[in-house]
Structures are given as C-alpha cells and as structure tokens.
C-alpha cells in the first residue's frame, strides 16, 4: 500500500530525488529535519534521537532533527566521515508565504568544499583534487588539479609516474579526489594509501572543458532567495584559465585541462558556481621543487608524528613561529615544497637574516601581524556571500594595520622584503568605507539591524531616529497618562500580538479616562489603547522593520563592493603570509641559535655540530650533543654507520635530512655551520612497520620502499637508510643490504647515509672507493655502556644489544642468560656431538641425543668416513681440501660468495 504523503514530505522527496547522494538537511521553521533513510543514518552517525511522524499509523515516517543554529557541529561530524550534506533552506518568509513555503538546496557541503570556520583547520589548506590518467603507449602520465575554495588557491600539474602522483597528493593533502568512473581501478592502491581522503568517481563528461563552460554560461542559480546568491566567475574568466594552461605547455595539456574542468565543475555542483575568489590558476611542475615521497614524509615526521598522527612533535610544530593563520598555512606549504633553485633559496635566507639581525624590527612586525585576520578565508566567505558584518570589520582592522607594516619594511636591504612591501595594498578607500559604514562591534545577525553607524545613510538615519526616539515617546506618553489620569500604576506595555497597550489594574478601573478603548480583559487587569498610541505604534514598528530591511540591503551593497577588491586583497594576503613566515623563521633562528647555511649546486653536504631540531626541543635539563657530517658525490658518497642501539644513529641521519630540507625551504638550521649542496630528492627507509591493510608484512614494506628508492633516486639525491634487511633471515638480509649499498654507490652515486647492525658491511670500504665507515662512540663501564652520542670515523665491532636490553628493563635473569648464549655463539656454533651449543646452560651437560640412534661414540665411523672420502672424484677431494683450509672468521661475505661459486663450478664436472 502506497503511503499518503503530506505536501511537505512530497516537497522533501522531490528535492531528495535531485540530490540522491547527499544527506538532506531540510529546513522546517527553526529546525533542520531529516526523513526516511537519512534520518536513520544521521541518528546512528551523530547520535541524534530517531523519532517519527505519524507514529503508529500506516504513514509513519522516520525523522530526526536539530535546531538550525546548532547544525554546524553535526555537519562537521558527517563530513569528517566522508558524507555530503545538502542544506535545503526556506526561500521565502513563512509568514507571507501562500501555501507551502518554497525551499531549495542553497549549498552542498563536502569534506573538500567547506567555508565554515568550524569545519576548517586554520593552519592547513583544504583541497579538493581531480586526477586524469593518460595510459596509451608509449607514455603514461597523470593530470592533477586541486582547488581550495576557502582561500582561492587553484593549482595544476602533470606527473609521469604513479609514485610521483602519490607523493604530490600527499603534499597537497586533498580531502576529496575526483576520478573518472572508468579509471577508478587505476587508483585503488592510491586510495588505500590516502586513508584520510575520499575518492569520488564521476562520469567522463564531468571532466569535459566545453561542458564546464556551458554550465558556467547557463548558471545554476536560485530564482528566489532571501540571501544573496554569491559572486561568481563568468565564462571569460574560465576561458582565461584554459589559456593559462595552454601557455604553460604541459606535455599533455588535455589531461591537465580535464582535471581542472572537474574540480571547477565540482564547485559549480556544490556552490552553484565558481566563486569569485578563485582569481587565477597556478600551473607548476613537481620537479621544480625538492621531491619528498610519502614514506620519507612520514619517517621524517615533517607535519605529523608517526605515532598517533599528531602535529605536536613534528618538525612543523617545532619551527612554526608564525602569528597569523595565513602564515601558518604558508609555512606548511614551504615545508612541503622546498626549493631547488639556489638563487631563490638565497633570497629567502637574505630576508630571514636581515630580521635575525634586527630584533626590534622583528618584534614590531610580529606585534603588527598579531592584529591581522585571515584575509584569504574572509575573501572566501565574501565571495560566497556568507560573510557577516564582523567579517568585514575584521577585514577593515587588518587593512588599517598595513600602513604600519609597509613603513617597517620600507628601505629594507633584502630584495624579497622590498618586493613583499611593494605588493601590500592597504586599499585605503575600501578601508575608509567599511570604517565609516559599520559600527565598531556589529552583531553577527544581518537581519536584526544595528549594523550601520549614524551618518552613513540619511534615509537610515531617519528610521533609526524614529525607532529609537519613538520608544522615548512611549515613555513620555506613559508619564503623561499617569499624571492626567491620576493612576500611578498605569503602564504602557508591548507584545507581538497586540502591539503597544495601556494596562490598568482592576482597583483603578473607575479612574480610566473615557477616551481609552478597551482591548483585552485579564483576571487582575484590563488593557486599553488610544488612537494616538496606535498611530505612534504603527510609525515606530514600521520604522523598525524598514530599518532592518534597509540595513540588510545596504550591507549586501557593501559586501558586493568589497568583493570587487578580491584580487588586491588576495595578493596582499599572500604577501602578508610570506612576511609572517620570514619573521617567524627569524624568531626561530634567534631563539634556537640556528645558523645561516651556505647553499650551492655542488655535491657536498658539510654540517658542523648539527642538531636534530625536534629531539633538541624535547630535551629538558640536558644539552643536545651535536655531530658533524661530511658527505659528497665522490669519495664520501656512501657512509656506513655502525654502533649500538639507542646510541643515536637514526637521530644523526635524520637530522642531516632535516637540515638539508630546512635549508632548501629557506630557513636557518640547527648547527654551528652548514654548507648544503642542493639535492633534488630526499629518500628515507627507516624503522620497521607493516601495513596489513594492504597485505604487506614488515619486510615487504621495507623492500617496497627500498625498491622505490633504487628506481627513483639520482646522483643529486640524499638517501638515509636505517637497518635495511633486518626483516628477514640474517644471511638474506645481509646479502640484500650489501647489494643495495653497492648499487647506490656504483649505479646511482647518491649521497647515502647507511645505518646498520650488519658489521660485515664495513668491509665495503675495501672495494668501494666512495665508501667510508663511521660509528657512534660508546664507553664500557662495569659491564654497562655509556652513550657518548658522538659520530666518529671507523667502525663499531659490537652492537651492545644485551646492555641496551638491560637499560630497557629486561629482567636480570634474561640478561644473564642472553650473555651466556652469546658467549656460546662466539666460542663456536656446535659442540663435539654436532649439536647446537646456544641452548646449553652453564654447568649442564648436553643431554640431547645426536641425530643418529646410537648413543655411544663409534671410532669406526671415522674410518668409514675416510673410506667414503677415498672414493671421491679428484675434483671433490680438491674441494674438501680447499674447505678445510678456509678461516671463516676472516672471510668476508663477498669472498664467501665468490668461493662458493668457484666450488660449485668445479663440482659440476663430476655430476
């Protein structure tokens, strides 16, 4: 039986049919309601109470809802889980509507298309991206476009490898990624890697540029709306984007344009147009920046920690001394996109150095920047017509600070600071207009009045005077009526039903003037009015309503005027962000005693007394011990670093990578001095971790990351490796580590720091001219070790694992037993019975039986063996003789492999 639907529910279903993949927030009075499946889903996901309409009847409908003013928190929870929310608002005033109130979707909120500050992290961007793959032989390539609607940042690039695409997606940290339906399978591996990102398949037509321009030209607008529909780009603006992409000359411009069409089309789909704060597209090549892959970003903990994914404890958290949200996002961008151009790096370092040497100037700048609001995201809300009067006041107060900032930066010696100062536009006329228009502390609501100052608009002043002084007239009228009637308790009151009225208690009804007209009788009083009171009521209330309507209209005009300055405002915002980053890096250098690194294009990294920036910041009451590292592309391109666990090998190799990265982003570095030859890529393979979700064991992850390095590193790269081969058997692992080290040295030639517990690798210096041995110094004391934390030349001969185990808290019985087993192993692997000795306890005879069944030693066995040996072929006899002469304690792994190959070849003749 078909349920009978009310007109309201039918309206709900009609809207839902147009937005089937969203959760529909349907406005009913002061509430947003959800019905049917949406109600059940939302109740489960965010903990709303699930109720129903027409409970108990055949027409019962599941229902859930919340007050409209508290909906932001629920929206945040839903989009964090990847859902899309469609906001369906009332498009007309219910009090004047004829029939059912008109409603429609005014905006769609997705994880990647967000403007509300409650749903955004002020210190990081919020991108939605699109990928298009070109898979036809001979070349594979990927077009990538991304846009942050909250800031107007719109970028495009082209990648040639899937690994490059993965690295770039990790750098931009997109919340949503649009892919073509038919290509979705190509990115399944990426989808598994990008766990915080939601993939959105779309039909191929969605990626068509011509369809985008037609949609923009047609416009997706609401015919009736109580609020402004936003400020959008037109087809000419979109055509300019296309021309910019063509002029950039990507190898395959078509796939880049398709990706760009998709992200812009997604904005049209969710915001009914391309917001006007997206003023330009920035095409770029990923190879124009230092490339850092996914595992390296994670291992170096650049923006979040490996454990827990927290910002606190990351490199970003340590170096961030910015004052503004714009600066915090720009610092993150600098860290994700370090430079490879020496001149550009030096330009940033010059600016930082000038502010390091001028503490008073630096402090004045930081004080001024503390008054700066987030102009980028203010422009986003202005373009969407969601900015309120407080937002415009925040913009005005920021513009008012700019002359001081310009004065502080005037005549600086740094070319970058001079350029940034010149690009700051205080927009003086706009600043004056907003200041003259709005009251100093306006309300957030736009339809309740109280927004504008007296003197801004003559018509508004009259209405303000009438609504304000009209209430004074009411007080005077009340006093006059009390005096003329002699009723001291007479009161003039107001309610929304009766308007203004005179209330007189029953005890005084005999004194009521004849001119009063009775309006309502109460238990203890009666209410009256006079023609004079009603006439004034109409004037006062009419003036108040007219005032609110006029103020809303004037505010819309003011907001539209501000939107015409978006380009200048965004340029100013970008310059302020750079100034904030430079000032913050100067403050960091001053507080942490960082030095200016020397930068060149040589193949040398020379760090004197370098320190790990994050580890150093966590030490309390203890001085960080610095270390010097020298590596190059010739005689010191492969450094084999040995030493105990916990001695600091991993810290040292990581700090070399971090100091290099900080240098190339334009920062001072934690060292006494540093000379950095620019590298094109940084790779790291550190630690042991599995990824069971991808079906990868610890060793598989290790080998996959190692393979990626060997396949993508160049002679200009910096590679740090920690414990290659430890996830498998000793001989397998040692063999792999040996071969990897040789390949890096011989075939790639990259600067490599290789930390290992395979002491056999120290023999590489005998055969590889560019290999050197380094170790972490320790001091033994009464069977314990003291970590000296110093990197010295030469190799370590022990790993001190048992002593480290004792420091970690292993029971003493376990420590002593481990030492006994180690002594047995070092003395010889087998006893005279041919049985393994590690399991034999001190003072205990081996009671295990030999492999043969007899328990008595039979001397005839030796003669039998000799007899068998005499029957061997000459080649076999020679091989046995050669084996007897081998000293396995001095044999290197490579010599053992060569000898085994010789013996195998000699014995093949006897088979």
């Amino acid at each position: 039986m078909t349920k009978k639907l009310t007109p309201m529910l039918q309206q709900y279903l009609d809207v839902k049919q147009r937005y089937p993949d969203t959760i529909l927030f349907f406005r009913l009075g002061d509430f947003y309601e959800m019905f049917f499946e949406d109600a059940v889903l939302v109740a489960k996901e965010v903990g709303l109470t699930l109720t129903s309409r027409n409970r108990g009847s055949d027409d019962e409908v599941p229902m859930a809802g919340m007050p409209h003013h508290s909906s932001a928190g629920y929206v945040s929870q839903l989009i964090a889980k990847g859902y899309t929310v469609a906001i369906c608002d009332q498009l007309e005033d219910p009090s004047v509507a004829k029939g059912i109130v008109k409603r429609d979707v005014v905006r769609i909120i997705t994880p990647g298309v967000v403007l509300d500050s409650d749903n955004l992290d002020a210190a990081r961007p919020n991108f939605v991206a699109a990928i298009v793959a070109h898979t036809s032989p001979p070349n594979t390539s990927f077009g990538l476009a991304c846009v942050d609607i909250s800031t107007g940042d719109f970028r495009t690039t082209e990648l040639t490898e899937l690994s490059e695409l993965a690295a770039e997606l990790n750098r931009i940290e997109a919340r949503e990624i649009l892919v073509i339906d038919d290509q979705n399978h190509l990115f399944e591996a990426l989808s598994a890697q990008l766990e915080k990102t939601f993939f959105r398949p779309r039909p191929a037509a969605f990626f068509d540029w011509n369809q985008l321009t037609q949609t923009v030209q047609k416009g997706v607008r609401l015919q009736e709306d109580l609020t402004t529909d936003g400020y959008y780009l037109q087809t000419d603006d979109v055509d300019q984007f296309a021309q910019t992409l063509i002029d950039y000359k990507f190898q395959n411009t078509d796939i880049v344009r398709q990706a760009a069409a998709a992200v812009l089309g997604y904005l049209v789909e969710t915001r009914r147009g391309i917001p006007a704060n997206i003023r330009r597209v920035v095409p770029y090549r990923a190879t124009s920046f230092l490339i850092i892959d996914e595992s390296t970003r994670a291992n170096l903990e650049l923006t979040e920690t490996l454990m827990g994914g927290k910002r606190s404890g990351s490199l970003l958290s340590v170096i961030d001394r910015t004052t503004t949200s714009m600066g915090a996002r720009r610092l993150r961008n600098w860290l994700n996109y370090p430079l490879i151009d020496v001149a550009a790096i030096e330009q940033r370092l010059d600016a930082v150095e000038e502010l390091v040497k001028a503490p008073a100037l630096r402090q004045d700048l930081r004080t001024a920047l503390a008054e700066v609001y987030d102009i980028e995201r203010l422009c986003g809300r202005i373009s969407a017509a969601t900015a309120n009067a407080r937002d415009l006041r925040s913009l005005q107060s920021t513009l008012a600070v700019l002359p001081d900032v310009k004065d502080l930066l005037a005549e600086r010696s740094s070319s970058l600071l001079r350029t940034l100062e010149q690009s700051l536009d205080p927009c003086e006329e706009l600043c004056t207009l907003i200041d003259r228009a709005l009251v100093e502390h306006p309300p957030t609501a736009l339809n309740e009045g109280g927004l504008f100052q007296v003197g801004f608009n003559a018509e508004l002043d009259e209405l303000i005077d009438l609504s304000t002084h009209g209430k004074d007239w009411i007080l005077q009228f009340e006093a006059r009526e009390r005096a003329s009637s002699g009723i001291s308790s007479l009161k003039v009151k107001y309610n929304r039903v009766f308007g203004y009225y005179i209330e007189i208690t029953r005890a005084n009804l005999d004194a009521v003037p004849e001119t009063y007209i009775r309006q309502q009788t109460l238990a203890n009083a009666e209410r009256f009015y006079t023609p004079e009171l009603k006439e004034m009521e109409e004037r006062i209330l009419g003036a108040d309503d007219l005032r609110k309507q006029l103020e809303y209209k004037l505010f819309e005009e003011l907001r539209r005027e501000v939107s015409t300055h978006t380009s200048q405002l965004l340029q100013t915002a970008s310059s302020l962000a750079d100034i904030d980053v430079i000032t913050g890096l100067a403050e960091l250098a001053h507080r942490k005693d960082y030095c200016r690194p020397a930068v060149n294009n040589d193949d040398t990294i020379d760090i004197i007394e370098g320190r790990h920036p994050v580890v150093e910041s966590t030490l309390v009451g203890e001085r960080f011990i610095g270390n010097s590292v020298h590596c190059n592309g010739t005689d010191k391109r492969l450094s084999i670093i040995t030493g105990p666990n916990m001695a600091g090998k991993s810290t040292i190799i990581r700090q070399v990578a971090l100091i290099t990265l900080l240098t190339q982003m334009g920062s001072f570095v934690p060292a006494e001095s540093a000379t950095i030859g620019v590298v094109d890529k940084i790779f790291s393979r550190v630690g042991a971790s599995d990824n069971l979700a991808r079906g990868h064991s610890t060793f598989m992850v290790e080998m996959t990351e190692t393979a990626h390095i060997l396949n993508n590193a160049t002679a200009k790269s910096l590679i740090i490796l920690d414990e290659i081969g430890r996830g498998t058997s000793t001989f397998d692992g040692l063999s792999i580590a040996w071969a990897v080290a040789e390949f890096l040295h011989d075939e790639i030639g990259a600067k490599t720091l290789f930390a290992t517990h395979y002491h056999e690798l120290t023999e590489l210096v005998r055969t590889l001219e560019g290999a050197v041995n380094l170790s972490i110094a320790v001091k033994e004391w009464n069977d314990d070790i003291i970590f000296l934390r110093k990197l010295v030349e030469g190799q370590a001969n022990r790993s001190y694992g048992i002593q480290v185990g004792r420091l970690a808290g292993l029971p003493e019985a376990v420590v002593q037993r481990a030492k006994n087993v180690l002594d047995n192993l070092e003395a010889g692997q087998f006893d005279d019975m041919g049985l393994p000795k590690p399991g034999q306890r001190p003072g205990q005879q081996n009671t295990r039986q030999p492999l043969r069944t007899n328990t008595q030693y039979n001397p005839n066995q030796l003669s039998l063996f000799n007899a068998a040996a005499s029957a061997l072929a000459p080649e076999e006899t020679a091989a046995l003789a050669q084996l007897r002469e081998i000293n396995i304690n001095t044999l290197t792994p490579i010599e053992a492999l060569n000898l085994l190959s010789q013996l195998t070849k000699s014995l093949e003749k006897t088979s």
Side-chain angles (χ1 to χ4, degrees):
M1 178 178 176
T2 304
K3 291 184 178 181
K4 183 180 178 181
L5 298 177
T6 64
M8 182 275 294
L9 280 177
Q10 187 60 56
Q11 184 185 46
Y12 172 89
L13 290 176
D14 290 344
V15 176
K16 179 67 178 177
Q17 187 176 16
R18 291 190 286 119
Y19 299 92
D21 298 324
T22 70
I23 295 173
L24 188 63
F25 276 38
F26 193 75
R27 182 71 176 268
L28 290 177
D30 291 334
F31 286 80
Y32 280 122
E33 301 287 359
M34 285 126 275
F35 300 97
F36 302 104
E37 295 85 354
D38 280 3
V40 176
L41 175 64
V42 173
K44 175 184 175 182
E45 293 289 358
V46 301
L48 288 177
T49 300
L50 182 64
T51 61
S52 63
R53 289 178 70 91
N54 307 322
R55 182 182 295 273
S57 70
D58 293 337
D59 297 331
E60 184 173 347
V61 174
M63 180 176 73
M66 79 287 289
H68 76 92
H69 56 78
S70 62
S71 62
Y74 296 104
V75 172
S76 297
Q77 293 180 59
L78 289 169
I79 65 171
K81 296 181 178 183
Y83 294 108
T84 297
V85 177
I87 304 297
C88 182
D89 268 337
Q90 297 171 164
L91 303 185
E92 59 181 345
D93 188 340
S95 64
V96 299
K98 295 180 179 179
I100 189 169
V101 176
K102 293 179 180 178
R103 296 178 177 89
D104 206 344
V105 171
V106 296
R107 64 188 184 279
I108 298 175
I109 306 172
T110 77
V113 184
V114 181
L115 285 171
D116 303 325
S117 57
D118 292 339
N119 296 322
L120 289 168
D121 183 339
R124 66 193 303 165
N126 196 76
F127 283 108
V128 57
I131 313 170
V132 176
H134 172 76
T135 56
S136 301
N139 298 319
T140 298
S141 57
F142 302 92
L144 171 65
C146 60
V147 64
D148 182 350
I149 189 177
S150 71
T151 63
D153 191 355
F154 179 26
R155 314 176 194 172
T156 58
T157 190
E158 179 183 20
L159 295 312
T160 57
E161 301 287 344
L162 192 61
S163 60
E164 292 179 3
L165 177 62
E168 196 59 26
L169 289 171
N170 270 282
R171 289 208 280 195
I172 65 176
E173 303 172 287
R175 295 295 311 282
E176 293 181 275
I177 298 177
L178 308 168
V179 296
I180 299 175
D181 282 333
D182 295 342
Q183 295 185 350
N184 196 24
H185 66 283
L186 300 175
F187 308 113
E188 289 177 354
L190 277 180
S191 179
Q193 293 177 41
L194 303 172
E195 297 173 357
K196 298 178 182 178
T197 303
F198 304 102
F199 279 66
R200 311 293 196 201
R202 286 291 188 274
F206 195 77
F207 293 73
D208 182 76
W209 192 270
N210 291 331
Q211 178 171 302
L212 170 69
T213 55
Q214 291 171 11
T215 304
V216 171
Q217 186 173 22
K218 178 182 178 182
V220 184
R221 302 290 182 268
L222 296 175
Q223 296 301 314
E224 297 180 64
D225 197 339
L226 292 178
T227 61
T228 304
D229 203 23
Y231 315 120
Y232 302 102
L233 300 184
Q234 303 303 315
T235 51
D236 290 346
D237 303 302
V238 178
D239 290 341
Q240 186 58 53
F241 291 157
Q243 190 59 49
T244 299
L245 297 180
I246 293 171
D247 293 343
Y248 194 73
K249 300 189 186 311
F250 287 109
Q251 287 187 345
N252 190 334
T253 302
D254 285 344
I255 59 173
V256 177
R257 282 210 313 166
Q258 287 173 347
V263 292
L264 294 177
Y266 199 55
L267 300 186
V268 175
E269 179 182 293
T270 55
R271 303 299 304 189
R272 303 197 309 278
I274 304 172
N277 65 318
I278 301 172
R279 305 305 304 175
R280 63 190 184 115
V281 59
V282 180
Y284 68 99
R285 291 182 172 84
T287 52
S288 299
F289 303 93
L290 171 61
I291 293 176
I292 309 167
D293 63 21
E294 173 196 6
S295 62
T296 302
R297 284 174 53 83
N299 291 332
L300 295 180
E301 298 183 301
L302 297 186
T303 57
E304 59 184 33
T305 58
L306 272 171
M307 296 293 291
K310 299 178 180 178
R311 186 178 188 274
S312 177
S314 68
L315 177 64
L316 179 62
S317 71
V318 170
I319 67 172
D320 189 356
R321 294 293 188 277
T322 57
T323 306
T324 71
S325 299
M326 297 181 294
R329 293 194 298 272
R330 183 59 51 85
L331 177 66
R332 191 185 192 95
N333 187 68
W334 282 23
L335 185 60
N336 283 333
Y337 290 89
L339 306 174
I340 59 174
D341 180 74
V342 171
I345 296 169
E346 292 281 18
Q347 193 178 45
R348 287 183 181 178
L349 291 172
D350 286 343
V352 174
E353 182 176 35
E354 183 165 3
L355 295 184
V356 169
K357 293 179 177 179
L361 170 62
R362 185 175 70 248
Q363 188 54 50
D364 288 344
L365 278 173
R366 289 174 63 81
T367 300
L369 290 170
E371 302 298 320
V372 168
Y373 287 85
D374 195 337
I375 300 179
E376 288 179 330
R377 286 188 167 161
L378 284 175
C379 285
R381 294 199 291 275
I382 289 167
S383 295
T386 60
N388 59 33
R390 288 188 186 178
D391 289 330
L392 297 196
R393 256 300 175 185
S394 297
L395 175 61
Q396 183 274 328
S397 64
T398 298
L399 295 176
V401 171
L402 295 186
D404 292 339
V405 176
K406 289 178 70 68
D407 288 343
L408 290 169
L409 293 177
E411 301 179 1
R412 293 295 107 202
S413 59
S414 159
S415 61
L416 179 55
L417 289 178
R418 291 199 306 271
T419 300
L420 293 173
E421 181 274 322
Q422 292 166 5
S423 62
L424 292 176
D425 186 351
C427 298
E428 294 175 356
E429 292 184 1
L430 180 63
C431 181
T432 301
L433 173 63
I434 298 173
D435 189 42
R436 185 170 62 87
L438 298 177
V439 297
E440 189 171 355
H441 300 290
T444 55
L446 299 180
N447 54 3
E448 296 297 325
L451 304 175
F452 287 87
Q453 297 199 57
V454 174
F456 177 70
N457 180 277
E459 182 182 356
L460 179 61
D461 287 347
E462 290 181 12
L463 294 172
I464 291 174
D465 181 71
L466 185 57
S467 61
T468 302
H469 296 117
K471 293 174 183 177
D472 293 338
W473 183 92
I474 294 293
L475 294 175
Q476 295 171 6
F477 175 81
E478 182 184 68
R480 190 176 75 227
E481 291 303 307
R482 282 179 183 173
S484 64
S485 67
I487 305 173
S488 60
S489 61
L490 181 149
K491 294 180 180 178
V492 178
K493 295 184 177 181
Y494 171 82
N495 67 34
R496 300 186 67 176
V497 177
F498 296 107
Y500 287 102
Y501 55 85
I502 304 167
E503 186 170 283
I504 298 176
T505 61
R506 285 195 172 275
N508 295 296
L509 289 179
D510 292 342
V512 172
E514 294 182 358
T515 55
Y516 283 17
I517 303 170
R518 181 177 280 102
Q519 188 172 42
Q520 185 182 21
T521 299
L522 303 178
N524 298 315
E526 291 202 20
R527 294 173 176 175
F528 302 87
Y529 69 91
T530 68
E532 181 184 17
L533 180 61
K534 282 300 172 185
E535 180 183 351
M536 197 62 188
E537 174 191 302
E538 291 180 5
R539 294 181 62 192
I540 293 171
L541 297 183
D544 204 39
D545 289 340
L546 289 173
R547 171 191 175 176
K548 292 175 182 178
Q549 294 173 19
L550 180 58
E551 286 205 48
Y552 186 83
K553 177 183 176 184
L554 291 173
F555 181 79
E556 282 191 321
E557 293 174 354
L558 177 62
R559 188 167 57 189
R560 181 171 292 278
E561 175 61 27
V562 175
S563 74
T564 63
H565 294 75
T566 299
S567 293
Q568 302 98 296
L569 292 173
L570 288 175
Q571 177 57 57
T572 293
S574 180
S575 298
L576 283 171
D578 283 343
I579 293 167
D580 192 16
V581 172
I582 293 166
T583 307
L585 291 177
E587 183 73 8
L588 172 73
H590 168 71
R591 289 182 178 272
K592 296 288 188 178
D593 193 27
Y594 286 9
C595 73
R596 174 173 179 161
V599 189
N600 55 50
N601 279 315
D602 296 342
D603 268 340
T604 298
I605 292 178
D606 191 9
I607 299 170
I608 306 301
E609 295 301 304
R611 312 185 302 275
H612 192 294
V614 180
V615 175
E616 180 185 37
S617 70
T618 62
L619 296 179
V620 178
E622 182 181 353
R623 183 177 65 87
F624 187 95
I625 298 173
N627 276 287
S628 300
V629 174
H630 179 82
C631 54
N632 56 39
T634 54
D635 62 324
K636 293 183 178 180
R637 63 179 178 269
L638 176 62
S639 297
I640 305 297
I641 305 174
T642 51
N645 280 308
M646 298 294 295
K649 299 189 302 296
S650 294
T651 298
I652 290 173
I653 63 175
R654 280 181 168 98
Q655 75 191 34
V656 172
L658 293 179
I659 288 172
T660 301
L661 188 151
L662 285 171
T663 297
Q664 293 190 214
M665 69 171 277
S667 172
F668 279 31
V669 298
E672 286 188 4
S673 68
T675 300
I676 305 296
V678 167
V679 301
D680 63 350
K681 303 173 184 178
I682 295 178
F683 295 98
S684 77
R685 158 87 282 281
V686 176
S689 62
D690 57 29
N691 193 323
L692 300 181
R694 300 184 210 174
H696 291 174
S697 66
T698 299
F699 185 61
M700 186 61 178
V701 170
E702 181 182 335
M703 290 298 96
T704 300
E705 293 180 359
T706 303
H708 173 72
I709 294 171
L710 299 182
N711 290 323
N712 291 279
T714 73
K716 289 286 287 182
S717 300
L718 171 64
I719 302 172
I720 62 171
L721 302 174
D722 194 0
E723 303 301 348
I724 290 291
R726 300 295 288 184
T728 185
S729 68
T730 301
F731 286 168
D732 278 356
L734 174 58
S735 302
I736 291 171
W738 191 289
V740 167
E742 285 185 336
F743 189 86
L744 289 169
H745 178 279
D746 297 341
E747 302 297 329
I748 297 178
K751 294 176 284 294
T752 304
L753 302 177
F754 199 137
T756 183
H757 282 291
Y758 289 135
H759 295 132
E760 295 85 351
L761 292 182
T762 59
E763 296 295 323
L764 284 167
V765 299
R766 297 174 181 267
T767 58
L768 303 181
E769 61 180 12
V772 295
N773 282 330
L774 302 172
S775 62
I776 308 295
V778 297
K779 185 175 181 63
E780 295 186 65
W781 181 263
N782 293 335
D783 203 30
D784 285 328
I785 55 172
I786 300 172
F787 297 128
L788 301 181
R789 311 291 188 193
K790 291 300 293 185
L791 187 67
V792 297
E793 293 186 0
Q795 66 193 64
N797 56 8
R798 295 181 63 190
S799 290
Y800 299 95
I802 296 174
Q803 288 86 342
V804 173
R806 172 182 280 151
L807 290 175
L810 287 180
E812 188 61 26
V814 174
V815 172
Q816 293 302 322
R817 177 61 179 141
K819 288 176 63 180
N820 170 242
V821 173
L822 179 62
D823 290 341
N824 288 340
L825 286 170
E826 290 178 341
Q829 183 72 25
F830 302 96
D831 63 13
D832 58 358
M833 294 291 290
L835 299 176
K837 289 181 66 176
Q840 186 173 330
R841 299 179 184 275
Q844 181 188 48
Q845 296 298 318
N846 196 338
T847 60
R848 295 181 60 188
Q849 299 297 315
L851 293 177
R852 298 183 183 275
T853 57
N854 56 309
T855 58
Q856 298 295 321
Y857 170 65
N858 185 355
N860 292 328
Q861 286 179 331
L862 182 59
S863 61
L864 290 172
F865 174 78
N866 290 335
S870 64
L872 295 176
E875 293 82 359
E876 295 172 330
T877 302
L880 281 174
Q882 192 172 358
L883 285 171
R884 290 191 185 99
E885 296 175 0
I886 294 173
N887 184 351
I888 63 173
N889 293 321
T890 61
L891 197 65
T892 68
I894 194 66
E895 290 171 342
L897 291 172
N898 289 333
L899 178 60
L900 182 60
S901 176
Q902 294 171 11
L903 291 173
T904 302
K905 289 180 181 178
S906 67
L907 293 174
E908 285 176 353
K909 301 176 182 178
T910 65
S911 58

